[in-house]
Amino acid sequence: MKIEYIELRHIRMQLRAPFETSFGVELDRDCIILQLRGEGLVGWGECVAGITPGYSYETTMTAWHVLSDFFIPRILGFEISEVEDLRHRLSVYKGHPLARAGLEMALWDVFAQVNRKPLSMVLGGVQPRVPVGVSVGIQKDPETLVDVVGEYIKQGYDRVKIKIKPGRDVGDVHAVRTAFPDLKLQVDANSAYTIEDTALMEALDEYGLLLIEQPLAEDDLIDHGRLQARLKTPICLDESILSMRHARQALEIEACRVINIKPGRVGGLSEAKAIHNLCFESKIPVWCGGMLETGIGRASNLAIASLPGFTLPGDISASERYYAEDIAEPPFMLNPDSTIDVPKAPGLGVNVIIERLERVSLRHEIFKA
Ligand code: OSB
Ligand code: MG
């Protein structure tokens, strides 16, 4: 298939509620939506790099630069017959996994449509619906947090993740655990601690948490291994795992017992699948993380989360939890058993509403072969 046309759009979507993590507060969500055309078909991708380098060193602007100046020229006008061709052509460049993954998603969408199959089936998915939870940002105080968590439980979420940071950790966990003794509860520190905080992690270890996500720095597998040896609670790595090799090495030194797979962070769905396969063989449970995606990225997350090793609930919540109006239809709804259905239509299986997309666009650029 010859890649004839690629369009980039920097969009900004207003979040229904501010989302606070250890690296900052987001009031709205920026990302890049990619449209790729070839063989008369249109594929969509979402690059999840945000406006600040808080989660990753990549930002919406660096992703725009790397996509338009380096990645797109490597494939525009070229014959790409499978996703591996794209990966190979981009392999001359280092890093920038979020940018890479956005482009790869659009290509997966087109190829799945060529085969008239839903993306989940093309990836090897087996689950028609996937277990999901909700990721709750840091709130004004622990009382408010308990109210917010209670509201999500009422909506039907049976697993809740709360964000923690120094000063807002054991107290918040204590409050939520006391209010909801049987809740499947987990925490995410987004790398806000160091090995010096081991005593604090040991305190969290007493709350029956499902897992503790990314407590230490992203480039610190060794100390994660030391910390894991001291805890009953599984450590789950997010930011530390950028590739299949990182996953293998993390498991080898027992730096974690669970992995959060985000296709963006690892450079695309292919690498995400490879990490899943490794973990599946090693009996390491995985789950699909989220980056506050629009309906496009959410459809892709549901597709990968349908693979058999995704046994823990993902950070894939209903569309209405994030945005008043999404750019794709139909919206994803929560089932009463805390699951979301995997799209069944060919490709990503969602319809992008162009008029809504244009309304949230800050900038767009078209590249033609
Ligand atoms: O660390 O998992 C994270 C959102 C943005 C950046 C990083 C993270 C998150 C989330 C939100 O936790 C998950 C979601 O999309 O619901
Ligand atoms: Mg995380």
Side-chain angles (χ1 to χ4, degrees), residues 73-369:
R74 286 288 292 170
I75 65 160
L76 195 65
F78 286 90
E79 195 59 42
I80 303 286
S81 59
E82 51 180 4
V83 172
E84 216 34 58
D85 293 345
L86 168 82
R87 282 162 62 81
H88 181 69
R89 291 200 60 78
L90 297 189
S91 67
V92 294
Y93 295 128
K94 291 198 170 57
H96 303 278
L98 305 182
R100 232 171 256 269
L103 195 52
E104 205 194 276
M105 188 191 300
L107 200 61
W108 274 105
D109 184 18
V110 170
F111 284 138
Q113 291 177 59
V114 168
N115 293 302
R116 295 195 182 82
K117 285 185 177 150
L119 179 59
S120 61
M121 199 182 283
V122 177
L123 290 169
V126 295
Q127 316 188 62
R129 64 192 78 81
V130 301
V132 302
V134 63
S135 171
V136 179
I138 296 164
Q139 305 295 316
K140 178 160 66 55
D141 48 46
E143 296 70 44
T144 311
L145 175 63
V146 168
D147 290 346
V148 172
V149 169
E151 190 49 46
Y152 284 122
I153 294 171
K154 217 179 291 170
Q155 289 174 22
Y157 293 101
D158 75 356
R159 181 285 256 162
V160 172
K161 155 169 142 182
I162 64 172
K163 293 287 188 177
I164 57 169
K165 67 175 180 181
R168 293 299 301 278
D169 35 50
V170 181
D172 281 34
V173 170
H174 184 82
V176 175
R177 181 47 91 210
T178 306
F180 309 106
D182 303 321
L183 177 66
K184 283 188 237 163
L185 180 64
Q186 62 193 58
V187 295
D188 186 358
N190 288 110
S191 74
Y193 299 89
T194 72
I195 194 70
E196 310 296 323
D197 298 308
T198 300
L200 194 142
M201 293 297 145
E202 286 171 339
L204 290 178
D205 205 21
E206 299 306 312
Y207 286 95
L209 301 175
L210 228 47
L211 55 88
I212 299 175
E213 184 175 343
Q214 196 69 41
L216 314 179
E218 76 247 33
D219 60 353
D220 193 357
L221 279 190
I222 302 286
D223 281 347
H224 276 108
R226 290 199 179 103
L227 182 60
Q228 180 66 89
R230 301 280 296 266
L231 302 177
K232 305 177 288 238
T233 312
I235 288 179
C236 167
L237 291 177
D238 174 353
E239 286 92 323
S240 287
I241 308 297
L242 300 179
S243 66
M244 154 98 155
R245 178 155 40 84
H246 287 170
R248 176 174 57 71
Q249 292 171 351
L251 298 183
E252 223 166 274
I253 68 163
E254 291 176 58
C256 65
R257 293 188 200 138
V258 174
I259 291 180
N260 165 339
I261 297 183
K262 287 181 184 171
R265 193 194 66 226
V266 303
L269 290 161
S270 301
E271 194 76 9
K273 181 176 171 164
I275 295 173
H276 160 274
N277 291 352
L278 170 78
C279 291
F280 195 53
E281 285 158 22
S282 317
K283 299 193 164 55
I284 294 291
V286 301
W287 54 285
C288 184
M291 292 290 287
L292 310 174
E293 284 89 348
T294 74
I296 296 172
R298 195 165 309 288
S300 169
N301 285 347
L302 284 160
I304 190 80
S306 71
L307 271 65
F310 284 82
T311 52
L312 292 171
D315 277 347
I316 310 175
S317 310
S319 307
E320 58 151 29
R321 174 254 184 281
Y322 305 91
Y323 305 108
E325 188 182 70
D326 207 336
I327 54 169
E329 295 249 289
F332 292 105
M333 313 285 268
L334 185 70
N335 297 318
D337 61 349
S338 198
T339 63
I340 294 184
D341 295 346
V342 178
K344 289 188 203 61
L348 286 169
V350 290
N351 294 312
V352 178
I353 313 298
I354 303 292
E355 175 260 319
R356 291 186 199 162
L357 182 62
E358 283 174 350
R359 222 184 309 139
V360 294
S361 290
L362 301 180
R363 174 186 184 191
H364 83 122
E365 193 168 338
I366 290 167
F367 303 82
K368 283 185 182 156

